[in-house]
């Protein structure tokens, strides 16, 4: 089982690199591969289904680092098809992305949590005739990665995770951890828990999970800013993953793609169901499929069930939204925003997510996303 887990991590990492490499090669192809579609948009032979209608110039976007690896793939593929268009996505944090969007410096933002009412109110100053809306585009598990020499597999539940990240469980051989890992040789070693240093939607989603699944042990509100005492901070999902990769005795949270690309072993989550659940795209999809649209009008904000005990459903998931104006988008970037988001929400765009360690948005919800993107103005 331990060997299988390591082989899966290597295979996933290699798969993601292979896809990324293929897209890089496509992006470096000559302009001789560029043709025209029926509507006059420019497309490449390698990505003939991407419609570039109205796309032009440079588009700036920023926000969630959770979707960085997905964005990298999408942008390479899109720019290979749409010559003369440059998309620059700054991977920072959900909080910084929303601030940039509401300051009018980006065409769209990425956020791992839906806009708050006050953020929607601020967006009306930029969107003029409309407001910012949430478009669910990327799904996936928040992996709990760990680095513990001599331990190749680990099961934890919401209660133990809450106590670890709240600095209540401080040693790896704590009885609560041992009880969930019968027979494991857990060392008498201090736990070094890493969290995000900046406002993060990933942090907020972890808080939502812990608050819902372990309410007695996690008393903090689910906010983007890390709430608990102790622990060590690192910048971005990449920073947290890098620390866990390097530090023996460490644990942290980040999107599965970061664990896969760095071959970091992840925790199986005991949900109270028949068996602990591994953090995989497929298992995350089972949880996301039960999500409900709770946004109104064109807003497609989702409500996730963090307490699911369904067989094979990994409960610690997030959905990253692309935030755009429903109406009142800037004329100079509207065409590119619509063209690019049409691709990311397309069947072709969603297919690349699994290879990168993410989970596609469920088809029924994604159909509403495509319809809403088409109506952006």
């Amino acid at each position: 089982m331990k060997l299988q887990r390591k082989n899966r991590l290597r295979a996933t990492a290699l798969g993601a690199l292979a896809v990324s490499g293929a897209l890089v090669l496509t992006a470096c192809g000559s302009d001789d591969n560029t043709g025209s579609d029926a509507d006059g948009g420019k497309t490449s032979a390698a990505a003939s289904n991407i419609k570039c209608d109205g796309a032009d110039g440079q588009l700036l976007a920023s926000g969630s680092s959770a979707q960085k690896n997905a964005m990298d793939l999408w942008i390479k593929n899109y720019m290979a098809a749409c010559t003369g268009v440059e998309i620059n996505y700054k991977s920072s944090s959900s909080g910084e992305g929303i601030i940039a969007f509401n300051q009018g410096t980006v065409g769209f933002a990425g956020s791992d949590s839906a806009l708050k009412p006050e953020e929607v109110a601020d967006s009306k100053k930029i969107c003029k005739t409309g407001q910012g809306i949430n478009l669910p585009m990327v799904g996936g598990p928040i992996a709990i990665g760990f680095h513990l020499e001599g331990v190749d597999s680990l099961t934890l539940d919401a209660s133990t995770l809450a106590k670890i990240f709240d600095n209540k469980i401080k040693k790896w051989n704590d009885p609560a951890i041992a009880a969930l890992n019968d027979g494991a040789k857990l060392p008498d070693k201090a736990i070094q828990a890493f969290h995000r240093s900046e406002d993060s939607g990933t942090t907020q989603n972890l808080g939502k999970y812990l608050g819902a699944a372990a309410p007695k042990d996690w008393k903090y509100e689910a906010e983007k800013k890390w709430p608990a005492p102790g622990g060590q901070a690192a910048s971005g999902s990449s920073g947290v993953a890098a620390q866990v990769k390097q530090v023996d005795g460490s644990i942290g949270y980040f999107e599965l793609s970061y664990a896969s690309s760095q071959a970091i072993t992840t925790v199986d989550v005991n949900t109270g169901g028949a068996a602990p659940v591994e953090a995989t795209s497929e298992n995350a999809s089972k949880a996301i499929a039960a999500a409900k649209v709770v946004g109104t009008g064109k807003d497609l904000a989702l409500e996730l069930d963090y307490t699911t005990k369904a067989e094979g459903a990994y409960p610690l998931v997030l959905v990253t939204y692309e935030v755009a104006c429903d109406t009142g988008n800037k004329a100079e970037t509207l065409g590119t925003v619509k063209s690019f988001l049409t691709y990311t929400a397309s069947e072709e765009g969603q297919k690349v997510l699994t290879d990168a360690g993410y989970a596609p948005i469920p088809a029924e919800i994604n159909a509403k996303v495509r319809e809403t993107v088409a109506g952006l103005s």
Side-chain angles (χ1 to χ4, degrees), residues 213-245:
K216 294 181 179 179
D217 301 305
W218 191 258
K219 301 295 187 180
Y220 306 100
E221 293 294 325
E223 299 291 348
K224 293 177 182 177
K225 184 177 180 63
W226 181 255
Q232 301 179 59
S235 178
S237 292
S238 59
V240 175
Q243 290 298 319
V244 173
K245 178 72 173 178

Side-chain angles (χ1 to χ4, degrees), residues 149-218:
E149 296 295 335
V151 178
D152 294 327
S153 63
L154 188 69
T155 295
L156 298 174
D157 59 12
S159 176
T160 54
L161 284 169
K163 292 174 183 177
I164 286 170
F165 283 112
D166 197 21
N167 205 33
K168 296 292 196 307
I169 292 179
K170 301 182 179 183
K171 290 289 189 76
W172 279 109
N173 63 347
D174 187 280
I177 298 177
L180 293 166
N181 295 273
D182 186 35
K185 295 181 179 179
L186 299 169
D188 182 18
K189 185 187 293 289
I191 296 174
Q192 298 193 55
F194 286 90
H195 59 262
R196 293 281 289 274
S197 59
E198 73 285 0
D199 286 3
S200 161
T202 310
T203 294
Q204 188 172 38
N205 278 278
L206 173 65
K208 288 179 180 178
Y209 164 71
L210 294 175
K216 294 181 179 179
D217 301 305
W218 191 258

Side-chain angles (χ1 to χ4, degrees), residues 276-294:
V277 185
E278 184 180 351
T280 68
S281 296
E282 180 182 3
N283 291 344
S285 293
K286 293 177 182 177
I288 296 172
K292 298 178 181 178
V293 175
V294 293

Side-chain angles (χ1 to χ4, degrees), residues 59-121:
L59 173 63
L60 301 179
S62 69
S64 164
S65 66
Q67 66 172 355
K68 178 186 183 300
N69 295 329
M71 269 294 166
D72 286 348
L73 292 175
W74 280 334
I75 288 172
K76 287 171 184 174
N77 209 13
Y78 181 84
M79 287 174 58
C82 301
T83 58
V85 180
E86 180 182 353
I87 297 179
N88 185 345
Y89 181 81
K90 180 184 177 183
S91 172
S92 51
S93 68
S94 297
E96 292 174 3
I98 296 304
I99 290 172
F101 179 77
N102 282 340
Q103 289 177 340
T105 60
V106 295
F108 70 89
S111 177
D112 305 329
S113 56
L115 293 167
K116 295 180 178 180
E118 59 268 28
E119 292 171 336
V120 173

